Amino acid sequence: MHTRTVFFISDGTGITAETFGNAVLAQFEMKPRHVRLPFTDTVDKAHQAVRQINHTAELEGVRPIVFTTLANMEVLEVIETGCKGMLLDMFGTFVRPLEIELAVKSNHRIGRFSDVSKSKEYDARIAAIDFSLAHDDGQSNRDLEGADVILVGVSRSGKTPTSLYLAMQHGLKAANYPLIPEDFERKQLPPALMPHRKKIFGLTIQPERLSQIRNERRPDSRYASLENCRNEVSEAEAMMRRAGIRWLSTTTKSIEEIATTILQELKPERLVY
Amino acid sequence: MHTRTVFFISDGTGITAETFGNAVLAQFEMKPRHVRLPFTDTVDKAHQAVRQINHTAELEGVRPIVFTTLANMEVLEVIETGCKGMLLDMFGTFVRPLEIELAVKSNHRIGRFSDVSKSKEYDARIAAIDFSLAHDDGQSNRDLEGADVILVGVSRSGKTPTSLYLAMQHGLKAANYPLIPEDFERKQLPPALMPHRKKIFGLTIQPERLSQIRNERRPDSRYASLENCRNEVSEAEAMMRRAGIRWLSTTTKSIEEIATTILQELKPERLVY
């Protein structure tokens, strides 16, 4: 099979073009070469993009696939007119029918982000990242009332990446607490968390997978041994069951899937999408 | 104007549906109500979704807008047949022309993530998050050879969120170092960074905006005073110019825009998109 190149052209960051383009391409068994052309916001840059696409078409002998999210009509026109790729105009395809449905013209605003220094929503997102970092791994019990979510689980069950993702993508203040031998002996959740039970969500993981992850960090340690992992996981699950908190297994799940499940369950009010 | 509800239906997390749907909706001056229906992966759940959409249509007196990213054809069919919303089938619209272009059938794979416990790419992403956390705010000089990017800048110029974003979304190992008075006195970048100059990227920010951000943290402190911010920023910019490193101003930019610009400039090889 020929090499195929996929271009993602945007007048903003190109993240939307690429997220969506990748989801569409995941429907096919192919590993195309990716070229992202962000900030393509002038007619000059559009002509450059056209030259690059057409050059690739010649070299590879097949036309490249070109995903665009362009709000600037002049830029789009240059690409529509000159480009020898297969053009998939993601905005035009859906914006035009929506203009009819909503009976208004689109504003051709470029990108999802306008000047962030004037955005309260953006400030909240940065504050959520600060909070989640300060409350990573049980570092601080201060201001837990301010938390939207508190994750608990054994070491390396996925708490830290999930907390940071919830903060970064959803503007949620996410604290996380490790469950450790002292908790298992007391057979109770960490005492500082008790007043906030409604916000707690547990993460668990298969002992075999946990042992594999821990072995990458500390090979052949007791910490990583399958026996120890089995023991910690079974203690942690028993505790979560007793405490009556919601929990899920992260074994085969991505950060995005874990976060989406938590959001569905906890439905926190302050949700920035 | 009536309230409008927008539904995002997916058999996976729904993140792609929502990212793309939001970008399309940003082209219109409207603040619709958002309902995300992730993991809609059975005919039963599809019928539930249809009931919810049609109920909303009745209540609001206008048809809801329904973005779908559904790989499961049975689920899609239930929604196409029963739903009284305006259906925007994001996969079908682009997958069908691609099937013709590529001369293969799509595989109807659900979601971007298959079993992550078997994915090397996913492991690399988690390792990048670990690395970036361990190298946040100049915490560690260890293993800087392993870094893909090293960000420098004054306190609160945007280094930490950008590092975490680069790790989480692009699987890049991103260290970050604060520029502090000792560095300004020595008039040189932190010595530990000198061997890695090619990987360094500077962040700067307008003193007025910096003072505003710092005042939220430590109101009326010398640290947050406009005079001190002006001084730090001018020292930092002079140092970056002398060192000949690339840099940008974060004043009005989102994390995504900063990260995209850095990627364009540094073009690190190990790039997970």
Side-chain angles (χ1 to χ4, degrees), chain A residues 122, chain B residues 151-162 176-179 201-206 209-210 213-214 223 233 236 240 248-251 253 258:
Chain A
Y122 189 78
Chain B
L151 302 181
V152 299
V154 300
S155 164
R156 307 303 289 179
S157 56
K159 300 182 302 297
T160 296
T162 305
N176 77 74
Y177 272 75
L179 295 179
F201 202 99
L203 301 184
T204 190
I205 183 168
Q206 264 178 16
R209 171 74 178 146
L210 181 62
I213 294 170
R214 287 184 173 183
Y223 165 79
V233 168
M240 295 193 253
L248 65 81
S249 168
T250 65
T251 310
K253 289 196 172 65
I258 302 168

PDB file of all heavy atoms in Angstrom, chain A residues 122, chain B residues 151-162 176-179 201-206 209-210 213-214 223 233 236 240 248-251 253 258:
ATOM      1  N   TYR A 122     -11.371  30.468  31.968  1.00  0.00           N
ATOM      2  CA  TYR A 122      -9.982  30.055  31.846  1.00  0.00           C
ATOM      3  C   TYR A 122      -9.260  30.184  33.187  1.00  0.00           C
ATOM      4  O   TYR A 122      -8.491  29.313  33.580  1.00  0.00           O
ATOM      5  CB  TYR A 122      -9.279  30.887  30.766  1.00  0.00           C
ATOM      6  CG  TYR A 122      -7.906  30.363  30.439  1.00  0.00           C
ATOM      7  CD1 TYR A 122      -7.750  29.247  29.630  1.00  0.00           C
ATOM      8  CD2 TYR A 122      -6.768  30.954  30.970  1.00  0.00           C
ATOM      9  CE1 TYR A 122      -6.499  28.745  29.347  1.00  0.00           C
ATOM     10  CE2 TYR A 122      -5.511  30.461  30.691  1.00  0.00           C
ATOM     11  CZ  TYR A 122      -5.382  29.359  29.875  1.00  0.00           C
ATOM     12  OH  TYR A 122      -4.142  28.854  29.606  1.00  0.00           O
TER      13      TYR A 122
ATOM     14  N   LEU B 151      10.884  24.063  29.756  1.00  0.00           N
ATOM     15  CA  LEU B 151      10.329  25.419  29.742  1.00  0.00           C
ATOM     16  C   LEU B 151      10.971  26.256  30.839  1.00  0.00           C
ATOM     17  O   LEU B 151      11.201  25.763  31.942  1.00  0.00           O
ATOM     18  CB  LEU B 151       8.815  25.380  29.967  1.00  0.00           C
ATOM     19  CG  LEU B 151       7.996  24.561  28.972  1.00  0.00           C
ATOM     20  CD1 LEU B 151       6.511  24.635  29.320  1.00  0.00           C
ATOM     21  CD2 LEU B 151       8.235  25.046  27.550  1.00  0.00           C
ATOM     22  N   VAL B 152      11.270  27.521  30.527  1.00  0.00           N
ATOM     23  CA  VAL B 152      11.769  28.439  31.549  1.00  0.00           C
ATOM     24  C   VAL B 152      10.937  29.718  31.526  1.00  0.00           C
ATOM     25  O   VAL B 152      10.360  30.074  30.496  1.00  0.00           O
ATOM     26  CB  VAL B 152      13.266  28.802  31.348  1.00  0.00           C
ATOM     27  CG1 VAL B 152      14.153  27.568  31.434  1.00  0.00           C
ATOM     28  CG2 VAL B 152      13.478  29.521  30.014  1.00  0.00           C
ATOM     29  N   GLY B 153      10.884  30.389  32.679  1.00  0.00           N
ATOM     30  CA  GLY B 153      10.142  31.646  32.763  1.00  0.00           C
ATOM     31  C   GLY B 153       9.970  32.042  34.212  1.00  0.00           C
ATOM     32  O   GLY B 153      10.234  31.235  35.109  1.00  0.00           O
ATOM     33  N   VAL B 154       9.514  33.270  34.446  1.00  0.00           N
ATOM     34  CA  VAL B 154       9.298  33.713  35.825  1.00  0.00           C
ATOM     35  C   VAL B 154       8.100  32.971  36.413  1.00  0.00           C
ATOM     36  O   VAL B 154       7.313  32.362  35.684  1.00  0.00           O
ATOM     37  CB  VAL B 154       9.053  35.247  35.899  1.00  0.00           C
ATOM     38  CG1 VAL B 154      10.257  36.010  35.352  1.00  0.00           C
ATOM     39  CG2 VAL B 154       7.777  35.644  35.166  1.00  0.00           C
ATOM     40  N   SER B 155       7.979  33.026  37.732  1.00  0.00           N
ATOM     41  CA  SER B 155       6.881  32.373  38.440  1.00  0.00           C
ATOM     42  C   SER B 155       5.528  32.854  37.905  1.00  0.00           C
ATOM     43  O   SER B 155       5.317  34.049  37.739  1.00  0.00           O
ATOM     44  CB  SER B 155       7.014  32.701  39.936  1.00  0.00           C
ATOM     45  OG  SER B 155       5.814  32.431  40.617  1.00  0.00           O
ATOM     46  N   ARG B 156       4.618  31.938  37.616  1.00  0.00           N
ATOM     47  CA  ARG B 156       3.257  32.203  37.119  1.00  0.00           C
ATOM     48  C   ARG B 156       3.217  32.722  35.682  1.00  0.00           C
ATOM     49  O   ARG B 156       2.291  33.440  35.306  1.00  0.00           O
ATOM     50  CB  ARG B 156       2.483  33.180  38.027  1.00  0.00           C
ATOM     51  CG  ARG B 156       2.422  32.802  39.483  1.00  0.00           C
ATOM     52  CD  ARG B 156       1.833  31.451  39.736  1.00  0.00           C
ATOM     53  NE  ARG B 156       0.398  31.381  39.502  1.00  0.00           N
ATOM     54  CZ  ARG B 156      -0.316  30.278  39.647  1.00  0.00           C
ATOM     55  NH1 ARG B 156       0.257  29.150  40.012  1.00  0.00           N
ATOM     56  NH2 ARG B 156      -1.598  30.274  39.404  1.00  0.00           N
ATOM     57  N   SER B 157       4.192  32.306  34.880  1.00  0.00           N
ATOM     58  CA  SER B 157       4.131  32.692  33.464  1.00  0.00           C
ATOM     59  C   SER B 157       3.446  31.611  32.629  1.00  0.00           C
ATOM     60  O   SER B 157       3.288  31.766  31.415  1.00  0.00           O
ATOM     61  CB  SER B 157       5.539  32.970  32.923  1.00  0.00           C
ATOM     62  OG  SER B 157       6.383  31.849  33.121  1.00  0.00           O
ATOM     63  N   GLY B 158       3.047  30.492  33.261  1.00  0.00           N
ATOM     64  CA  GLY B 158       2.304  29.455  32.539  1.00  0.00           C
ATOM     65  C   GLY B 158       3.081  28.163  32.321  1.00  0.00           C
ATOM     66  O   GLY B 158       2.641  27.295  31.560  1.00  0.00           O
ATOM     67  N   LYS B 159       4.226  27.999  33.000  1.00  0.00           N
ATOM     68  CA  LYS B 159       5.077  26.839  32.747  1.00  0.00           C
ATOM     69  C   LYS B 159       4.426  25.515  33.155  1.00  0.00           C
ATOM     70  O   LYS B 159       4.458  24.546  32.401  1.00  0.00           O
ATOM     71  CB  LYS B 159       6.409  26.973  33.515  1.00  0.00           C
ATOM     72  CG  LYS B 159       7.225  28.190  33.151  1.00  0.00           C
ATOM     73  CD  LYS B 159       8.541  28.241  33.916  1.00  0.00           C
ATOM     74  CE  LYS B 159       8.410  28.253  35.434  1.00  0.00           C
ATOM     75  NZ  LYS B 159       7.701  29.435  35.978  1.00  0.00           N
ATOM     76  N   THR B 160       3.859  25.481  34.376  1.00  0.00           N
ATOM     77  CA  THR B 160       3.337  24.210  34.887  1.00  0.00           C
ATOM     78  C   THR B 160       2.158  23.679  34.070  1.00  0.00           C
ATOM     79  O   THR B 160       2.193  22.534  33.613  1.00  0.00           O
ATOM     80  CB  THR B 160       2.959  24.345  36.382  1.00  0.00           C
ATOM     81  OG1 THR B 160       4.148  24.614  37.120  1.00  0.00           O
ATOM     82  CG2 THR B 160       2.310  23.081  36.913  1.00  0.00           C
ATOM     83  N   PRO B 161       1.111  24.483  33.847  1.00  0.00           N
ATOM     84  CA  PRO B 161       0.004  23.942  33.042  1.00  0.00           C
ATOM     85  C   PRO B 161       0.446  23.523  31.641  1.00  0.00           C
ATOM     86  O   PRO B 161      -0.006  22.505  31.131  1.00  0.00           O
ATOM     87  CB  PRO B 161      -0.996  25.102  32.963  1.00  0.00           C
ATOM     88  CG  PRO B 161      -0.589  26.089  33.976  1.00  0.00           C
ATOM     89  CD  PRO B 161       0.826  25.834  34.354  1.00  0.00           C
ATOM     90  N   THR B 162       1.364  24.294  31.050  1.00  0.00           N
ATOM     91  CA  THR B 162       1.820  23.945  29.700  1.00  0.00           C
ATOM     92  C   THR B 162       2.588  22.622  29.712  1.00  0.00           C
ATOM     93  O   THR B 162       2.398  21.775  28.837  1.00  0.00           O
ATOM     94  CB  THR B 162       2.694  25.076  29.118  1.00  0.00           C
ATOM     95  OG1 THR B 162       1.953  26.294  29.160  1.00  0.00           O
ATOM     96  CG2 THR B 162       3.092  24.782  27.684  1.00  0.00           C
ATOM     97  N   ASN B 176      10.174  21.883  33.703  1.00  0.00           N
ATOM     98  CA  ASN B 176      10.124  23.341  33.718  1.00  0.00           C
ATOM     99  C   ASN B 176      10.899  23.920  34.882  1.00  0.00           C
ATOM    100  O   ASN B 176      10.976  23.328  35.954  1.00  0.00           O
ATOM    101  CB  ASN B 176       8.688  23.861  33.643  1.00  0.00           C
ATOM    102  CG  ASN B 176       7.941  23.766  34.945  1.00  0.00           C
ATOM    103  OD1 ASN B 176       8.183  24.535  35.874  1.00  0.00           O
ATOM    104  ND2 ASN B 176       7.029  22.803  35.029  1.00  0.00           N
ATOM    105  N   TYR B 177      11.535  25.074  34.618  1.00  0.00           N
ATOM    106  CA  TYR B 177      12.414  25.736  35.575  1.00  0.00           C
ATOM    107  C   TYR B 177      11.996  27.175  35.765  1.00  0.00           C
ATOM    108  O   TYR B 177      11.829  27.897  34.783  1.00  0.00           O
ATOM    109  CB  TYR B 177      13.859  25.730  35.051  1.00  0.00           C
ATOM    110  CG  TYR B 177      14.594  24.500  35.456  1.00  0.00           C
ATOM    111  CD1 TYR B 177      14.324  23.294  34.829  1.00  0.00           C
ATOM    112  CD2 TYR B 177      15.524  24.534  36.490  1.00  0.00           C
ATOM    113  CE1 TYR B 177      14.969  22.140  35.222  1.00  0.00           C
ATOM    114  CE2 TYR B 177      16.175  23.384  36.884  1.00  0.00           C
ATOM    115  CZ  TYR B 177      15.896  22.193  36.255  1.00  0.00           C
ATOM    116  OH  TYR B 177      16.531  21.055  36.657  1.00  0.00           O
ATOM    117  N   PRO B 178      11.871  27.604  37.022  1.00  0.00           N
ATOM    118  CA  PRO B 178      11.583  29.025  37.258  1.00  0.00           C
ATOM    119  C   PRO B 178      12.851  29.846  37.074  1.00  0.00           C
ATOM    120  O   PRO B 178      13.948  29.370  37.372  1.00  0.00           O
ATOM    121  CB  PRO B 178      11.153  29.044  38.727  1.00  0.00           C
ATOM    122  CG  PRO B 178      11.863  27.889  39.349  1.00  0.00           C
ATOM    123  CD  PRO B 178      12.028  26.848  38.274  1.00  0.00           C
ATOM    124  N   LEU B 179      12.718  31.057  36.558  1.00  0.00           N
ATOM    125  CA  LEU B 179      13.852  31.987  36.541  1.00  0.00           C
ATOM    126  C   LEU B 179      13.727  32.863  37.779  1.00  0.00           C
ATOM    127  O   LEU B 179      12.689  33.488  38.008  1.00  0.00           O
ATOM    128  CB  LEU B 179      13.832  32.838  35.270  1.00  0.00           C
ATOM    129  CG  LEU B 179      14.030  32.050  33.971  1.00  0.00           C
ATOM    130  CD1 LEU B 179      13.957  32.980  32.767  1.00  0.00           C
ATOM    131  CD2 LEU B 179      15.349  31.280  33.975  1.00  0.00           C
ATOM    132  N   PHE B 201      12.668  26.283  25.922  1.00  0.00           N
ATOM    133  CA  PHE B 201      11.725  27.238  25.354  1.00  0.00           C
ATOM    134  C   PHE B 201      11.300  28.189  26.474  1.00  0.00           C
ATOM    135  O   PHE B 201      10.953  27.743  27.559  1.00  0.00           O
ATOM    136  CB  PHE B 201      10.516  26.502  24.777  1.00  0.00           C
ATOM    137  CG  PHE B 201       9.787  27.311  23.747  1.00  0.00           C
ATOM    138  CD1 PHE B 201       9.999  27.093  22.388  1.00  0.00           C
ATOM    139  CD2 PHE B 201       8.913  28.322  24.133  1.00  0.00           C
ATOM    140  CE1 PHE B 201       9.350  27.855  21.432  1.00  0.00           C
ATOM    141  CE2 PHE B 201       8.261  29.092  23.182  1.00  0.00           C
ATOM    142  CZ  PHE B 201       8.478  28.856  21.827  1.00  0.00           C
ATOM    143  N   GLY B 202      11.348  29.479  26.203  1.00  0.00           N
ATOM    144  CA  GLY B 202      11.022  30.463  27.233  1.00  0.00           C
ATOM    145  C   GLY B 202       9.579  30.935  27.151  1.00  0.00           C
ATOM    146  O   GLY B 202       9.009  31.042  26.073  1.00  0.00           O
ATOM    147  N   LEU B 203       8.981  31.188  28.321  1.00  0.00           N
ATOM    148  CA  LEU B 203       7.646  31.798  28.370  1.00  0.00           C
ATOM    149  C   LEU B 203       7.772  33.157  29.041  1.00  0.00           C
ATOM    150  O   LEU B 203       8.385  33.278  30.093  1.00  0.00           O
ATOM    151  CB  LEU B 203       6.680  30.925  29.176  1.00  0.00           C
ATOM    152  CG  LEU B 203       6.439  29.497  28.691  1.00  0.00           C
ATOM    153  CD1 LEU B 203       5.373  28.829  29.550  1.00  0.00           C
ATOM    154  CD2 LEU B 203       6.040  29.457  27.221  1.00  0.00           C
ATOM    155  N   THR B 204       7.197  34.167  28.423  1.00  0.00           N
ATOM    156  CA  THR B 204       7.146  35.457  29.102  1.00  0.00           C
ATOM    157  C   THR B 204       5.701  35.933  29.144  1.00  0.00           C
ATOM    158  O   THR B 204       4.804  35.247  28.653  1.00  0.00           O
ATOM    159  CB  THR B 204       8.089  36.489  28.448  1.00  0.00           C
ATOM    160  OG1 THR B 204       8.156  37.633  29.305  1.00  0.00           O
ATOM    161  CG2 THR B 204       7.596  36.908  27.080  1.00  0.00           C
ATOM    162  N   ILE B 205       5.465  37.069  29.762  1.00  0.00           N
ATOM    163  CA  ILE B 205       4.097  37.531  30.010  1.00  0.00           C
ATOM    164  C   ILE B 205       4.149  39.026  30.291  1.00  0.00           C
ATOM    165  O   ILE B 205       5.155  39.530  30.794  1.00  0.00           O
ATOM    166  CB  ILE B 205       3.494  36.731  31.203  1.00  0.00           C
ATOM    167  CG1 ILE B 205       2.040  37.106  31.473  1.00  0.00           C
ATOM    168  CG2 ILE B 205       4.339  36.893  32.467  1.00  0.00           C
ATOM    169  CD1 ILE B 205       1.341  36.147  32.445  1.00  0.00           C
ATOM    170  N   GLN B 206       3.080  39.744  29.948  1.00  0.00           N
ATOM    171  CA  GLN B 206       3.041  41.182  30.246  1.00  0.00           C
ATOM    172  C   GLN B 206       3.051  41.416  31.752  1.00  0.00           C
ATOM    173  O   GLN B 206       2.278  40.777  32.471  1.00  0.00           O
ATOM    174  CB  GLN B 206       1.753  41.794  29.702  1.00  0.00           C
ATOM    175  CG  GLN B 206       1.902  42.438  28.345  1.00  0.00           C
ATOM    176  CD  GLN B 206       0.580  42.976  27.851  1.00  0.00           C
ATOM    177  OE1 GLN B 206      -0.365  43.127  28.625  1.00  0.00           O
ATOM    178  NE2 GLN B 206       0.512  43.250  26.566  1.00  0.00           N
ATOM    179  N   ARG B 209      -0.424  41.808  33.465  1.00  0.00           N
ATOM    180  CA  ARG B 209      -1.173  40.560  33.610  1.00  0.00           C
ATOM    181  C   ARG B 209      -0.540  39.683  34.698  1.00  0.00           C
ATOM    182  O   ARG B 209      -1.244  39.078  35.503  1.00  0.00           O
ATOM    183  CB  ARG B 209      -1.187  39.834  32.252  1.00  0.00           C
ATOM    184  CG  ARG B 209      -1.737  38.428  32.254  1.00  0.00           C
ATOM    185  CD  ARG B 209      -3.244  38.370  32.399  1.00  0.00           C
ATOM    186  NE  ARG B 209      -3.731  36.994  32.360  1.00  0.00           N
ATOM    187  CZ  ARG B 209      -4.770  36.549  33.044  1.00  0.00           C
ATOM    188  NH1 ARG B 209      -5.469  37.362  33.807  1.00  0.00           N
ATOM    189  NH2 ARG B 209      -5.148  35.302  32.958  1.00  0.00           N
ATOM    190  N   LEU B 210       0.781  39.642  34.737  1.00  0.00           N
ATOM    191  CA  LEU B 210       1.482  38.842  35.741  1.00  0.00           C
ATOM    192  C   LEU B 210       1.133  39.328  37.144  1.00  0.00           C
ATOM    193  O   LEU B 210       0.836  38.533  38.045  1.00  0.00           O
ATOM    194  CB  LEU B 210       2.995  38.926  35.510  1.00  0.00           C
ATOM    195  CG  LEU B 210       3.872  38.119  36.468  1.00  0.00           C
ATOM    196  CD1 LEU B 210       3.585  36.626  36.352  1.00  0.00           C
ATOM    197  CD2 LEU B 210       5.362  38.386  36.200  1.00  0.00           C
ATOM    198  N   ILE B 213      -2.310  38.150  38.097  1.00  0.00           N
ATOM    199  CA  ILE B 213      -2.336  36.727  38.449  1.00  0.00           C
ATOM    200  C   ILE B 213      -1.709  36.496  39.825  1.00  0.00           C
ATOM    201  O   ILE B 213      -2.251  35.774  40.661  1.00  0.00           O
ATOM    202  CB  ILE B 213      -1.574  35.885  37.389  1.00  0.00           C
ATOM    203  CG1 ILE B 213      -2.296  35.933  36.043  1.00  0.00           C
ATOM    204  CG2 ILE B 213      -1.402  34.444  37.852  1.00  0.00           C
ATOM    205  CD1 ILE B 213      -1.500  35.332  34.891  1.00  0.00           C
ATOM    206  N   ARG B 214      -0.568  37.144  40.067  1.00  0.00           N
ATOM    207  CA  ARG B 214       0.114  36.936  41.349  1.00  0.00           C
ATOM    208  C   ARG B 214      -0.679  37.526  42.507  1.00  0.00           C
ATOM    209  O   ARG B 214      -0.647  36.999  43.617  1.00  0.00           O
ATOM    210  CB  ARG B 214       1.513  37.560  41.303  1.00  0.00           C
ATOM    211  CG  ARG B 214       2.484  36.770  40.436  1.00  0.00           C
ATOM    212  CD  ARG B 214       3.871  37.379  40.508  1.00  0.00           C
ATOM    213  NE  ARG B 214       4.866  36.569  39.820  1.00  0.00           N
ATOM    214  CZ  ARG B 214       6.161  36.867  39.792  1.00  0.00           C
ATOM    215  NH1 ARG B 214       6.610  37.957  40.410  1.00  0.00           N
ATOM    216  NH2 ARG B 214       7.015  36.080  39.151  1.00  0.00           N
ATOM    217  N   TYR B 223       6.002  40.413  45.909  1.00  0.00           N
ATOM    218  CA  TYR B 223       6.017  39.425  44.819  1.00  0.00           C
ATOM    219  C   TYR B 223       5.040  39.784  43.701  1.00  0.00           C
ATOM    220  O   TYR B 223       5.333  39.630  42.514  1.00  0.00           O
ATOM    221  CB  TYR B 223       5.666  38.068  45.445  1.00  0.00           C
ATOM    222  CG  TYR B 223       5.276  36.932  44.528  1.00  0.00           C
ATOM    223  CD1 TYR B 223       6.247  36.214  43.832  1.00  0.00           C
ATOM    224  CD2 TYR B 223       3.936  36.542  44.398  1.00  0.00           C
ATOM    225  CE1 TYR B 223       5.883  35.133  43.026  1.00  0.00           C
ATOM    226  CE2 TYR B 223       3.569  35.467  43.593  1.00  0.00           C
ATOM    227  CZ  TYR B 223       4.544  34.771  42.908  1.00  0.00           C
ATOM    228  OH  TYR B 223       4.185  33.711  42.118  1.00  0.00           O
ATOM    229  N   VAL B 233      10.225  40.491  34.689  1.00  0.00           N
ATOM    230  CA  VAL B 233       9.966  40.197  33.279  1.00  0.00           C
ATOM    231  C   VAL B 233      11.061  40.788  32.400  1.00  0.00           C
ATOM    232  O   VAL B 233      11.543  40.138  31.462  1.00  0.00           O
ATOM    233  CB  VAL B 233       8.569  40.715  32.853  1.00  0.00           C
ATOM    234  CG1 VAL B 233       8.411  40.681  31.339  1.00  0.00           C
ATOM    235  CG2 VAL B 233       7.473  39.887  33.519  1.00  0.00           C
ATOM    236  N   ALA B 236      14.159  38.680  32.781  1.00  0.00           N
ATOM    237  CA  ALA B 236      13.990  37.361  32.154  1.00  0.00           C
ATOM    238  C   ALA B 236      14.076  37.474  30.634  1.00  0.00           C
ATOM    239  O   ALA B 236      14.738  36.664  29.973  1.00  0.00           O
ATOM    240  CB  ALA B 236      12.657  36.743  32.570  1.00  0.00           C
ATOM    241  N   MET B 240      16.772  35.687  28.130  1.00  0.00           N
ATOM    242  CA  MET B 240      16.394  34.778  27.040  1.00  0.00           C
ATOM    243  C   MET B 240      16.983  35.264  25.718  1.00  0.00           C
ATOM    244  O   MET B 240      17.442  34.475  24.901  1.00  0.00           O
ATOM    245  CB  MET B 240      14.874  34.666  26.959  1.00  0.00           C
ATOM    246  CG  MET B 240      14.272  34.014  28.209  1.00  0.00           C
ATOM    247  SD  MET B 240      12.548  33.510  28.012  1.00  0.00           S
ATOM    248  CE  MET B 240      11.698  34.711  28.976  1.00  0.00           C
ATOM    249  N   LEU B 248       8.060  32.955  23.767  1.00  0.00           N
ATOM    250  CA  LEU B 248       6.811  33.570  23.338  1.00  0.00           C
ATOM    251  C   LEU B 248       6.121  34.188  24.541  1.00  0.00           C
ATOM    252  O   LEU B 248       6.432  33.849  25.690  1.00  0.00           O
ATOM    253  CB  LEU B 248       5.894  32.532  22.675  1.00  0.00           C
ATOM    254  CG  LEU B 248       5.351  31.379  23.513  1.00  0.00           C
ATOM    255  CD1 LEU B 248       4.136  31.782  24.342  1.00  0.00           C
ATOM    256  CD2 LEU B 248       4.914  30.246  22.588  1.00  0.00           C
ATOM    257  N   SER B 249       5.177  35.079  24.284  1.00  0.00           N
ATOM    258  CA  SER B 249       4.406  35.698  25.359  1.00  0.00           C
ATOM    259  C   SER B 249       3.096  34.948  25.549  1.00  0.00           C
ATOM    260  O   SER B 249       2.362  34.688  24.601  1.00  0.00           O
ATOM    261  CB  SER B 249       4.109  37.156  25.035  1.00  0.00           C
ATOM    262  OG  SER B 249       3.135  37.639  25.952  1.00  0.00           O
ATOM    263  N   THR B 250       2.802  34.589  26.804  1.00  0.00           N
ATOM    264  CA  THR B 250       1.606  33.803  27.112  1.00  0.00           C
ATOM    265  C   THR B 250       0.411  34.683  27.483  1.00  0.00           C
ATOM    266  O   THR B 250      -0.667  34.154  27.757  1.00  0.00           O
ATOM    267  CB  THR B 250       1.873  32.866  28.309  1.00  0.00           C
ATOM    268  OG1 THR B 250       2.119  33.673  29.481  1.00  0.00           O
ATOM    269  CG2 THR B 250       3.077  31.975  28.061  1.00  0.00           C
ATOM    270  N   THR B 251       0.608  36.009  27.487  1.00  0.00           N
ATOM    271  CA  THR B 251      -0.398  36.918  28.063  1.00  0.00           C
ATOM    272  C   THR B 251      -1.840  36.609  27.657  1.00  0.00           C
ATOM    273  O   THR B 251      -2.714  36.516  28.499  1.00  0.00           O
ATOM    274  CB  THR B 251      -0.080  38.382  27.696  1.00  0.00           C
ATOM    275  OG1 THR B 251       1.293  38.623  28.001  1.00  0.00           O
ATOM    276  CG2 THR B 251      -0.973  39.356  28.458  1.00  0.00           C
ATOM    277  N   LYS B 253      -2.760  33.937  25.629  1.00  0.00           N
ATOM    278  CA  LYS B 253      -2.834  32.614  25.003  1.00  0.00           C
ATOM    279  C   LYS B 253      -3.316  31.536  25.958  1.00  0.00           C
ATOM    280  O   LYS B 253      -2.936  31.496  27.118  1.00  0.00           O
ATOM    281  CB  LYS B 253      -1.451  32.221  24.479  1.00  0.00           C
ATOM    282  CG  LYS B 253      -0.993  33.007  23.271  1.00  0.00           C
ATOM    283  CD  LYS B 253       0.179  32.297  22.607  1.00  0.00           C
ATOM    284  CE  LYS B 253       0.535  32.936  21.285  1.00  0.00           C
ATOM    285  NZ  LYS B 253       1.033  34.329  21.460  1.00  0.00           N
ATOM    286  N   ILE B 258      -0.328  27.899  23.507  1.00  0.00           N
ATOM    287  CA  ILE B 258       1.094  27.913  23.874  1.00  0.00           C
ATOM    288  C   ILE B 258       1.742  26.596  23.438  1.00  0.00           C
ATOM    289  O   ILE B 258       2.796  26.576  22.798  1.00  0.00           O
ATOM    290  CB  ILE B 258       1.273  28.095  25.405  1.00  0.00           C
ATOM    291  CG1 ILE B 258       0.604  29.388  25.885  1.00  0.00           C
ATOM    292  CG2 ILE B 258       2.744  28.091  25.779  1.00  0.00           C
ATOM    293  CD1 ILE B 258       0.487  29.493  27.413  1.00  0.00           C
TER     294      ILE B 258
END
